[in-house]
């Protein structure tokens, strides 16, 4: 049996397409901001995280509303209308 496979190597195969911040790093910076600190490997620095129990949410109330909206299948438009009621988002 003769091996009839054909190997075609592309000149840019394995080339670095982009350097710098990854999508995940960008997301963490945008969503979490300075709430969590990361070590050199990108892992969450656990020092002081106990005080940030509901992170990335600012409070237990924010976490509970997000949990409710997710479990109940509330759409973003419904949630926006709820939050537009004066006094609800304070």
């Amino acid at each position: 049996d003769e091996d009839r496979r054909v190997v075609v190597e592309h000149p840019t195969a394995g080339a670095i397409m982009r350097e710098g911040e990854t999508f995940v790093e960008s997301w963490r910076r945008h969503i979490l901001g300075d709430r969590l600190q990361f070590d050199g490997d990108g892992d969450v620095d656990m020092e002081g995280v106990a005080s940030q129990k509901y992170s990335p949410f600012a409070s237990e109330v924010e976490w509970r509303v997000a949990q409710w909206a997710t479990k109940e299948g509330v759409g973003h438009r419904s949630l926006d209308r709820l939050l537009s009621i004066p006094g609800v988002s304070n």
Side-chain angles (χ1 to χ4, degrees), residues 4-14:
R4 294 177 181 246
R5 290 180 286 180
V6 176
V7 176
V8 178
E9 294 182 9
H10 193 274
T12 62

Side-chain angles (χ1 to χ4, degrees), residues 17 25 27 35 38 40 42 52 67 70 73 86-88:
M17 301 301 287
E25 291 166 342
W27 176 85
R35 293 187 201 175
F38 300 92
Q52 301 172 6
Q67 182 186 40
T70 302
V88 170

Side-chain angles (χ1 to χ4, degrees), residues 23-42:
F23 174 76
V24 172
E25 291 166 342
S26 173
W27 176 85
R28 283 180 175 163
R29 181 179 44 77
H30 178 73
I31 301 296
L32 302 177
D34 294 329
R35 293 187 201 175
L36 295 179
Q37 299 299 317
F38 300 92
D39 65 14
D41 296 325

Side-chain angles (χ1 to χ4, degrees), residues 71-88:
K71 287 186 175 183
E72 295 297 322
V74 176
H76 73 277
R77 289 184 182 154
S78 297
L79 196 54
D80 287 345
R81 286 193 301 272
L82 171 67
L83 295 174
S84 71
I85 297 171
V88 170

Side-chain angles (χ1 to χ4, degrees), residues 48-67:
V49 171
S51 64
Q52 301 172 6
K53 183 176 180 180
Y54 297 99
S55 185
F57 301 98
S59 68
E60 180 180 1
V61 172
E62 284 187 15
W63 179 82
R64 286 180 180 269
V65 169
Q67 182 186 40

